[in-house]
PDB file of all heavy atoms in Angstrom:
ATOM      1  N   LEU A  20       0.378   2.313  -0.655  1.00 98.00           N
ATOM      2  CA  LEU A  20       1.101   3.588  -0.647  1.00 98.00           C
ATOM      3  C   LEU A  20       1.214   4.119   0.779  1.00 98.00           C
ATOM      4  O   LEU A  20       0.318   3.892   1.607  1.00 98.00           O
ATOM      5  CB  LEU A  20       0.333   4.625  -1.474  1.00 98.00           C
ATOM      6  CG  LEU A  20       0.200   4.388  -2.965  1.00 98.00           C
ATOM      7  CD1 LEU A  20      -0.743   5.432  -3.570  1.00 98.00           C
ATOM      8  CD2 LEU A  20       1.551   4.443  -3.644  1.00 98.00           C
ATOM      9  N   LYS A  33      -2.834  18.611  -0.381  1.00 98.00           N
ATOM     10  CA  LYS A  33      -3.119  18.420  -1.817  1.00 98.00           C
ATOM     11  C   LYS A  33      -2.918  16.955  -2.200  1.00 98.00           C
ATOM     12  O   LYS A  33      -3.670  16.414  -3.015  1.00 98.00           O
ATOM     13  CB  LYS A  33      -2.321  19.389  -2.684  1.00 98.00           C
ATOM     14  CG  LYS A  33      -0.829  19.272  -2.607  1.00 98.00           C
ATOM     15  CD  LYS A  33      -0.105  20.266  -3.551  1.00 98.00           C
ATOM     16  CE  LYS A  33       0.175  21.603  -2.953  1.00 98.00           C
ATOM     17  NZ  LYS A  33       1.209  22.380  -3.668  1.00 98.00           N
ATOM     18  N   VAL A  34      -1.939  16.294  -1.599  1.00 98.00           N
ATOM     19  CA  VAL A  34      -1.701  14.877  -1.924  1.00 98.00           C
ATOM     20  C   VAL A  34      -2.830  14.016  -1.335  1.00 98.00           C
ATOM     21  O   VAL A  34      -3.345  13.102  -2.006  1.00 98.00           O
ATOM     22  CB  VAL A  34      -0.320  14.413  -1.421  1.00 98.00           C
ATOM     23  CG1 VAL A  34      -0.106  12.940  -1.737  1.00 98.00           C
ATOM     24  CG2 VAL A  34       0.787  15.253  -2.058  1.00 98.00           C
ATOM     25  N   ARG A  35      -3.255  14.324  -0.116  1.00 98.00           N
ATOM     26  CA  ARG A  35      -4.375  13.571   0.485  1.00 98.00           C
ATOM     27  C   ARG A  35      -5.642  13.733  -0.360  1.00 98.00           C
ATOM     28  O   ARG A  35      -6.400  12.774  -0.563  1.00 98.00           O
ATOM     29  CB  ARG A  35      -4.662  14.058   1.914  1.00 98.00           C
ATOM     30  CG  ARG A  35      -3.592  13.718   2.915  1.00 98.00           C
ATOM     31  CD  ARG A  35      -4.115  13.827   4.357  1.00 98.00           C
ATOM     32  NE  ARG A  35      -4.664  15.129   4.698  1.00 98.00           N
ATOM     33  CZ  ARG A  35      -3.959  16.180   5.108  1.00 98.00           C
ATOM     34  NH1 ARG A  35      -2.651  16.073   5.251  1.00 98.00           N
ATOM     35  NH2 ARG A  35      -4.541  17.315   5.399  1.00 98.00           N
ATOM     36  N   LEU A  36      -5.873  14.965  -0.842  1.00 98.00           N
ATOM     37  CA  LEU A  36      -7.059  15.227  -1.663  1.00 98.00           C
ATOM     38  C   LEU A  36      -6.999  14.408  -2.960  1.00 98.00           C
ATOM     39  O   LEU A  36      -7.981  13.774  -3.365  1.00 98.00           O
ATOM     40  CB  LEU A  36      -7.139  16.735  -1.935  1.00 98.00           C
ATOM     41  CG  LEU A  36      -8.317  17.288  -2.721  1.00 98.00           C
ATOM     42  CD1 LEU A  36      -9.649  16.851  -2.115  1.00 98.00           C
ATOM     43  CD2 LEU A  36      -8.253  18.821  -2.771  1.00 98.00           C
ATOM     44  N   ALA A  37      -5.832  14.401  -3.600  1.00 98.00           N
ATOM     45  CA  ALA A  37      -5.687  13.632  -4.852  1.00 98.00           C
ATOM     46  C   ALA A  37      -5.895  12.137  -4.588  1.00 98.00           C
ATOM     47  O   ALA A  37      -6.599  11.454  -5.348  1.00 98.00           O
ATOM     48  CB  ALA A  37      -4.302  13.882  -5.457  1.00 98.00           C
ATOM     49  N   LEU A  38      -5.299  11.644  -3.515  1.00 98.00           N
ATOM     50  CA  LEU A  38      -5.435  10.200  -3.224  1.00 98.00           C
ATOM     51  C   LEU A  38      -6.891   9.842  -2.997  1.00 98.00           C
ATOM     52  O   LEU A  38      -7.385   8.820  -3.500  1.00 98.00           O
ATOM     53  CB  LEU A  38      -4.585   9.840  -1.995  1.00 98.00           C
ATOM     54  CG  LEU A  38      -3.071   9.811  -2.235  1.00 98.00           C
ATOM     55  CD1 LEU A  38      -2.314   9.860  -0.912  1.00 98.00           C
ATOM     56  CD2 LEU A  38      -2.679   8.552  -3.012  1.00 98.00           C
ATOM     57  N   ARG A  39      -7.610  10.705  -2.277  1.00 98.00           N
ATOM     58  CA  ARG A  39      -9.018  10.429  -2.015  1.00 98.00           C
ATOM     59  C   ARG A  39      -9.820  10.458  -3.319  1.00 98.00           C
ATOM     60  O   ARG A  39     -10.657   9.595  -3.584  1.00 98.00           O
ATOM     61  CB  ARG A  39      -9.567  11.458  -1.022  1.00 98.00           C
ATOM     62  CG  ARG A  39     -11.069  11.374  -0.806  1.00 98.00           C
ATOM     63  CD  ARG A  39     -11.504  10.055  -0.171  1.00 98.00           C
ATOM     64  NE  ARG A  39     -11.149  10.009   1.230  1.00 98.00           N
ATOM     65  CZ  ARG A  39     -11.909  10.438   2.241  1.00 98.00           C
ATOM     66  NH1 ARG A  39     -13.119  10.909   1.983  1.00 98.00           N
ATOM     67  NH2 ARG A  39     -11.490  10.360   3.482  1.00 98.00           N
ATOM     68  N   GLN A  40      -9.549  11.461  -4.154  1.00 98.00           N
ATOM     69  CA  GLN A  40     -10.358  11.587  -5.382  1.00 98.00           C
ATOM     70  C   GLN A  40      -9.975  10.535  -6.420  1.00 98.00           C
ATOM     71  O   GLN A  40     -10.771  10.228  -7.304  1.00 98.00           O
ATOM     72  CB  GLN A  40     -10.274  13.021  -5.917  1.00 98.00           C
ATOM     73  CG  GLN A  40     -10.979  13.962  -4.934  1.00 98.00           C
ATOM     74  CD  GLN A  40     -11.156  15.380  -5.403  1.00 98.00           C
ATOM     75  OE1 GLN A  40     -10.253  15.959  -5.989  1.00 98.00           O
ATOM     76  NE2 GLN A  40     -12.317  15.964  -5.118  1.00 98.00           N
ATOM     77  N   LEU A  41      -8.793   9.958  -6.279  1.00 98.00           N
ATOM     78  CA  LEU A  41      -8.417   8.835  -7.149  1.00 98.00           C
ATOM     79  C   LEU A  41      -8.927   7.504  -6.576  1.00 98.00           C
ATOM     80  O   LEU A  41      -8.823   6.466  -7.234  1.00 98.00           O
ATOM     81  CB  LEU A  41      -6.888   8.755  -7.297  1.00 98.00           C
ATOM     82  CG  LEU A  41      -6.235   9.853  -8.138  1.00 98.00           C
ATOM     83  CD1 LEU A  41      -4.722   9.858  -7.923  1.00 98.00           C
ATOM     84  CD2 LEU A  41      -6.563   9.668  -9.618  1.00 98.00           C
ATOM     85  N   GLY A  42      -9.394   7.538  -5.333  1.00 97.00           N
ATOM     86  CA  GLY A  42      -9.841   6.301  -4.682  1.00 97.00           C
ATOM     87  C   GLY A  42      -8.674   5.377  -4.348  1.00 97.00           C
ATOM     88  O   GLY A  42      -8.830   4.156  -4.296  1.00 97.00           O
ATOM     89  N   ALA A  43      -7.494   5.965  -4.111  1.00 98.00           N
ATOM     90  CA  ALA A  43      -6.296   5.149  -3.842  1.00 98.00           C
ATOM     91  C   ALA A  43      -6.106   4.993  -2.329  1.00 98.00           C
ATOM     92  O   ALA A  43      -5.953   5.998  -1.625  1.00 98.00           O
ATOM     93  CB  ALA A  43      -5.073   5.825  -4.449  1.00 98.00           C
ATOM     94  N   PRO A  44      -6.086   3.740  -1.850  1.00 98.00           N
ATOM     95  CA  PRO A  44      -5.852   3.551  -0.413  1.00 98.00           C
ATOM     96  C   PRO A  44      -4.394   3.862  -0.053  1.00 98.00           C
ATOM     97  O   PRO A  44      -3.500   3.653  -0.874  1.00 98.00           O
ATOM     98  CB  PRO A  44      -6.153   2.068  -0.179  1.00 98.00           C
ATOM     99  CG  PRO A  44      -6.071   1.422  -1.521  1.00 98.00           C
ATOM    100  CD  PRO A  44      -6.245   2.482  -2.571  1.00 98.00           C
ATOM    101  N   ILE A  87       4.511  14.733  -6.943  1.00 98.00           N
ATOM    102  CA  ILE A  87       3.748  13.570  -6.449  1.00 98.00           C
ATOM    103  C   ILE A  87       2.385  13.508  -7.142  1.00 98.00           C
ATOM    104  O   ILE A  87       1.914  12.437  -7.536  1.00 98.00           O
ATOM    105  CB  ILE A  87       3.609  13.626  -4.906  1.00 98.00           C
ATOM    106  CG1 ILE A  87       4.982  13.451  -4.251  1.00 98.00           C
ATOM    107  CG2 ILE A  87       2.628  12.557  -4.415  1.00 98.00           C
ATOM    108  CD1 ILE A  87       4.999  13.687  -2.738  1.00 98.00           C
ATOM    109  N   LEU A  88       1.761  14.688  -7.339  1.00 98.00           N
ATOM    110  CA  LEU A  88       0.459  14.698  -8.037  1.00 98.00           C
ATOM    111  C   LEU A  88       0.604  14.155  -9.460  1.00 98.00           C
ATOM    112  O   LEU A  88      -0.251  13.394  -9.937  1.00 98.00           O
ATOM    113  CB  LEU A  88      -0.123  16.113  -8.078  1.00 98.00           C
ATOM    114  CG  LEU A  88      -0.458  16.766  -6.732  1.00 98.00           C
ATOM    115  CD1 LEU A  88      -1.102  18.129  -6.963  1.00 98.00           C
ATOM    116  CD2 LEU A  88      -1.372  15.886  -5.890  1.00 98.00           C
ATOM    117  N   LEU A  89       1.673  14.537 -10.139  1.00 98.00           N
ATOM    118  CA  LEU A  89       1.890  14.023 -11.500  1.00 98.00           C
ATOM    119  C   LEU A  89       2.103  12.504 -11.477  1.00 98.00           C
ATOM    120  O   LEU A  89       1.579  11.771 -12.321  1.00 98.00           O
ATOM    121  CB  LEU A  89       3.106  14.694 -12.145  1.00 98.00           C
ATOM    122  CG  LEU A  89       2.927  16.161 -12.541  1.00 98.00           C
ATOM    123  CD1 LEU A  89       4.241  16.726 -13.063  1.00 98.00           C
ATOM    124  CD2 LEU A  89       1.835  16.297 -13.600  1.00 98.00           C
ATOM    125  N   TYR A  90       2.877  12.042 -10.511  1.00 98.00           N
ATOM    126  CA  TYR A  90       3.150  10.600 -10.382  1.00 98.00           C
ATOM    127  C   TYR A  90       1.841   9.841 -10.158  1.00 98.00           C
ATOM    128  O   TYR A  90       1.580   8.825 -10.821  1.00 98.00           O
ATOM    129  CB  TYR A  90       4.108  10.380  -9.207  1.00 98.00           C
ATOM    130  CG  TYR A  90       4.434   8.934  -8.949  1.00 98.00           C
ATOM    131  CD1 TYR A  90       5.440   8.287  -9.665  1.00 98.00           C
ATOM    132  CD2 TYR A  90       3.736   8.195  -7.979  1.00 98.00           C
ATOM    133  CE1 TYR A  90       5.747   6.954  -9.422  1.00 98.00           C
ATOM    134  CE2 TYR A  90       4.036   6.868  -7.737  1.00 98.00           C
ATOM    135  CZ  TYR A  90       5.044   6.253  -8.453  1.00 98.00           C
ATOM    136  OH  TYR A  90       5.336   4.930  -8.215  1.00 98.00           O
ATOM    137  N   LEU A  91       1.026  10.356  -9.249  1.00 98.00           N
ATOM    138  CA  LEU A  91      -0.242   9.662  -8.961  1.00 98.00           C
ATOM    139  C   LEU A  91      -1.164   9.696 -10.177  1.00 98.00           C
ATOM    140  O   LEU A  91      -1.846   8.715 -10.484  1.00 98.00           O
ATOM    141  CB  LEU A  91      -0.932  10.305  -7.753  1.00 98.00           C
ATOM    142  CG  LEU A  91      -0.230  10.085  -6.414  1.00 98.00           C
ATOM    143  CD1 LEU A  91      -0.895  10.929  -5.330  1.00 98.00           C
ATOM    144  CD2 LEU A  91      -0.243   8.604  -6.024  1.00 98.00           C
ATOM    145  N   GLY A  92      -1.171  10.845 -10.869  1.00 98.00           N
ATOM    146  CA  GLY A  92      -2.011  10.944 -12.068  1.00 98.00           C
ATOM    147  C   GLY A  92      -1.626   9.892 -13.090  1.00 98.00           C
ATOM    148  O   GLY A  92      -2.492   9.238 -13.683  1.00 98.00           O
ATOM    149  N   LYS A  93      -0.347   9.712 -13.286  1.00 98.00           N
ATOM    150  CA  LYS A  93       0.100   8.728 -14.280  1.00 98.00           C
ATOM    151  C   LYS A  93      -0.088   7.300 -13.762  1.00 98.00           C
ATOM    152  O   LYS A  93      -0.501   6.410 -14.503  1.00 98.00           O
ATOM    153  CB  LYS A  93       1.569   8.978 -14.643  1.00 98.00           C
ATOM    154  CG  LYS A  93       2.012   8.196 -15.856  1.00 98.00           C
ATOM    155  CD  LYS A  93       3.273   8.802 -16.447  1.00 98.00           C
ATOM    156  CE  LYS A  93       3.850   7.941 -17.537  1.00 98.00           C
ATOM    157  NZ  LYS A  93       3.233   8.125 -18.838  1.00 98.00           N
ATOM    158  N   LYS A  94       0.180   7.098 -12.488  1.00 98.00           N
ATOM    159  CA  LYS A  94       0.033   5.744 -11.921  1.00 98.00           C
ATOM    160  C   LYS A  94      -1.395   5.230 -12.089  1.00 98.00           C
ATOM    161  O   LYS A  94      -1.604   4.064 -12.375  1.00 98.00           O
ATOM    162  CB  LYS A  94       0.424   5.775 -10.432  1.00 98.00           C
ATOM    163  CG  LYS A  94       0.286   4.417  -9.722  1.00 98.00           C
ATOM    164  CD  LYS A  94       0.744   4.513  -8.270  1.00 98.00           C
ATOM    165  CE  LYS A  94       0.389   3.259  -7.480  1.00 98.00           C
ATOM    166  NZ  LYS A  94       1.257   2.122  -7.751  1.00 98.00           N
ATOM    167  N   TYR A  95      -2.369   6.129 -11.887  1.00 98.00           N
ATOM    168  CA  TYR A  95      -3.771   5.704 -11.953  1.00 98.00           C
ATOM    169  C   TYR A  95      -4.428   6.093 -13.282  1.00 98.00           C
ATOM    170  O   TYR A  95      -5.648   6.117 -13.380  1.00 98.00           O
ATOM    171  CB  TYR A  95      -4.550   6.257 -10.759  1.00 98.00           C
ATOM    172  CG  TYR A  95      -4.073   5.650  -9.458  1.00 98.00           C
ATOM    173  CD1 TYR A  95      -3.205   6.344  -8.627  1.00 98.00           C
ATOM    174  CD2 TYR A  95      -4.430   4.351  -9.105  1.00 98.00           C
ATOM    175  CE1 TYR A  95      -2.721   5.766  -7.459  1.00 98.00           C
ATOM    176  CE2 TYR A  95      -3.950   3.775  -7.944  1.00 98.00           C
ATOM    177  CZ  TYR A  95      -3.095   4.483  -7.124  1.00 98.00           C
ATOM    178  OH  TYR A  95      -2.618   3.904  -5.984  1.00 98.00           O
ATOM    179  N   SER A  96      -3.613   6.372 -14.286  1.00 96.00           N
ATOM    180  CA  SER A  96      -4.121   6.735 -15.608  1.00 96.00           C
ATOM    181  C   SER A  96      -4.809   5.510 -16.246  1.00 96.00           C
ATOM    182  O   SER A  96      -4.325   4.383 -16.064  1.00 96.00           O
ATOM    183  CB  SER A  96      -2.927   7.170 -16.456  1.00 96.00           C
ATOM    184  OG  SER A  96      -3.362   7.574 -17.707  1.00 96.00           O
ATOM    185  N   PRO A  97      -5.907   5.646 -17.007  1.00 96.00           N
ATOM    186  CA  PRO A  97      -6.538   6.910 -17.306  1.00 96.00           C
ATOM    187  C   PRO A  97      -7.453   7.378 -16.188  1.00 96.00           C
ATOM    188  O   PRO A  97      -8.166   6.580 -15.587  1.00 96.00           O
ATOM    189  CB  PRO A  97      -7.350   6.599 -18.574  1.00 96.00           C
ATOM    190  CG  PRO A  97      -7.699   5.150 -18.440  1.00 96.00           C
ATOM    191  CD  PRO A  97      -6.568   4.511 -17.694  1.00 96.00           C
ATOM    192  N   ASN A  98      -7.393   8.667 -15.914  1.00 96.00           N
ATOM    193  CA  ASN A  98      -8.347   9.286 -14.984  1.00 96.00           C
ATOM    194  C   ASN A  98      -8.427  10.760 -15.334  1.00 96.00           C
ATOM    195  O   ASN A  98      -7.437  11.334 -15.814  1.00 96.00           O
ATOM    196  CB  ASN A  98      -7.925   9.041 -13.530  1.00 96.00           C
ATOM    197  CG  ASN A  98      -6.739   9.875 -13.155  1.00 96.00           C
ATOM    198  OD1 ASN A  98      -6.861  11.077 -12.911  1.00 96.00           O
ATOM    199  ND2 ASN A  98      -5.547   9.276 -13.136  1.00 96.00           N
ATOM    200  N   PRO A  99      -9.591  11.387 -15.114  1.00 96.00           N
ATOM    201  CA  PRO A  99      -9.772  12.776 -15.566  1.00 96.00           C
ATOM    202  C   PRO A  99      -8.872  13.783 -14.854  1.00 96.00           C
ATOM    203  O   PRO A  99      -8.675  14.893 -15.361  1.00 96.00           O
ATOM    204  CB  PRO A  99     -11.251  13.072 -15.276  1.00 96.00           C
ATOM    205  CG  PRO A  99     -11.844  11.837 -14.718  1.00 96.00           C
ATOM    206  CD  PRO A  99     -10.787  10.802 -14.529  1.00 96.00           C
ATOM    207  N   LEU A 100      -8.317  13.410 -13.701  1.00 98.00           N
ATOM    208  CA  LEU A 100      -7.444  14.353 -12.997  1.00 98.00           C
ATOM    209  C   LEU A 100      -6.116  14.548 -13.728  1.00 98.00           C
ATOM    210  O   LEU A 100      -5.368  15.494 -13.460  1.00 98.00           O
ATOM    211  CB  LEU A 100      -7.150  13.851 -11.576  1.00 98.00           C
ATOM    212  CG  LEU A 100      -8.354  13.721 -10.647  1.00 98.00           C
ATOM    213  CD1 LEU A 100      -7.911  13.221  -9.281  1.00 98.00           C
ATOM    214  CD2 LEU A 100      -9.049  15.061 -10.523  1.00 98.00           C
ATOM    215  N   TYR A 101      -5.813  13.620 -14.645  1.00 98.00           N
ATOM    216  CA  TYR A 101      -4.539  13.640 -15.375  1.00 98.00           C
ATOM    217  C   TYR A 101      -4.873  13.529 -16.865  1.00 98.00           C
ATOM    218  O   TYR A 101      -4.836  12.446 -17.443  1.00 98.00           O
ATOM    219  CB  TYR A 101      -3.693  12.463 -14.900  1.00 98.00           C
ATOM    220  CG  TYR A 101      -2.288  12.425 -15.437  1.00 98.00           C
ATOM    221  CD1 TYR A 101      -1.294  13.241 -14.913  1.00 98.00           C
ATOM    222  CD2 TYR A 101      -1.948  11.539 -16.467  1.00 98.00           C
ATOM    223  CE1 TYR A 101      -0.006  13.187 -15.395  1.00 98.00           C
ATOM    224  CE2 TYR A 101      -0.648  11.488 -16.954  1.00 98.00           C
ATOM    225  CZ  TYR A 101       0.312  12.311 -16.412  1.00 98.00           C
ATOM    226  OH  TYR A 101       1.594  12.257 -16.882  1.00 98.00           O
ATOM    227  N   TYR A 174     -11.740  19.881 -14.332  1.00 98.00           N
ATOM    228  CA  TYR A 174     -11.095  19.672 -13.021  1.00 98.00           C
ATOM    229  C   TYR A 174      -9.931  18.688 -13.157  1.00 98.00           C
ATOM    230  O   TYR A 174     -10.090  17.608 -13.733  1.00 98.00           O
ATOM    231  CB  TYR A 174     -12.136  19.115 -12.051  1.00 98.00           C
ATOM    232  CG  TYR A 174     -11.634  18.914 -10.626  1.00 98.00           C
ATOM    233  CD1 TYR A 174     -11.304  20.002  -9.826  1.00 98.00           C
ATOM    234  CD2 TYR A 174     -11.506  17.633 -10.092  1.00 98.00           C
ATOM    235  CE1 TYR A 174     -10.862  19.825  -8.525  1.00 98.00           C
ATOM    236  CE2 TYR A 174     -11.059  17.446  -8.782  1.00 98.00           C
ATOM    237  CZ  TYR A 174     -10.747  18.550  -8.008  1.00 98.00           C
ATOM    238  OH  TYR A 174     -10.304  18.379  -6.718  1.00 98.00           O
ATOM    239  N   MET A 176      -5.468  17.751 -11.717  1.00 98.00           N
ATOM    240  CA  MET A 176      -4.425  17.894 -10.695  1.00 98.00           C
ATOM    241  C   MET A 176      -4.023  19.355 -10.514  1.00 98.00           C
ATOM    242  O   MET A 176      -3.548  19.741  -9.440  1.00 98.00           O
ATOM    243  CB  MET A 176      -3.186  17.070 -11.086  1.00 98.00           C
ATOM    244  CG  MET A 176      -3.364  15.574 -10.961  1.00 98.00           C
ATOM    245  SD  MET A 176      -3.728  15.061  -9.265  1.00 98.00           S
ATOM    246  CE  MET A 176      -3.714  13.266  -9.500  1.00 98.00           C
ATOM    247  N   ILE A 179      -6.167  20.723  -7.820  1.00 98.00           N
ATOM    248  CA  ILE A 179      -5.786  20.130  -6.529  1.00 98.00           C
ATOM    249  C   ILE A 179      -4.488  20.763  -6.021  1.00 98.00           C
ATOM    250  O   ILE A 179      -4.340  21.035  -4.835  1.00 98.00           O
ATOM    251  CB  ILE A 179      -5.653  18.590  -6.683  1.00 98.00           C
ATOM    252  CG1 ILE A 179      -7.032  17.987  -6.982  1.00 98.00           C
ATOM    253  CG2 ILE A 179      -5.034  17.972  -5.438  1.00 98.00           C
ATOM    254  CD1 ILE A 179      -7.019  16.487  -7.234  1.00 98.00           C
ATOM    255  N   PRO A 212     -16.961  15.700  -6.236  1.00 97.00           N
ATOM    256  CA  PRO A 212     -17.121  14.419  -5.527  1.00 97.00           C
ATOM    257  C   PRO A 212     -15.792  14.012  -4.878  1.00 97.00           C
ATOM    258  O   PRO A 212     -14.737  14.157  -5.486  1.00 97.00           O
ATOM    259  CB  PRO A 212     -17.485  13.432  -6.652  1.00 97.00           C
ATOM    260  CG  PRO A 212     -17.919  14.266  -7.818  1.00 97.00           C
ATOM    261  CD  PRO A 212     -17.283  15.622  -7.664  1.00 97.00           C
ATOM    262  N   GLY A 213     -15.894  13.533  -3.651  1.00 97.00           N
ATOM    263  CA  GLY A 213     -14.693  13.052  -2.958  1.00 97.00           C
ATOM    264  C   GLY A 213     -13.871  14.154  -2.325  1.00 97.00           C
ATOM    265  O   GLY A 213     -12.801  13.888  -1.779  1.00 97.00           O
TER     266      GLY A 213
END
Side-chain angles (χ1 to χ4, degrees):
L20 294 173
K33 62 178 88 162
V34 179
R35 291 198 303 276
L36 183 53
L38 287 163
R39 173 64 74 89
Q40 292 188 318
L41 289 166
I87 293 172
L88 297 183
L89 289 175
Y90 178 84
L91 291 172
K93 192 161 172 83
K94 179 178 170 76
Y95 294 100
S96 182
N98 73 77
L100 297 180
Y101 187 78
Y174 183 68
M176 288 299 185
I179 294 177

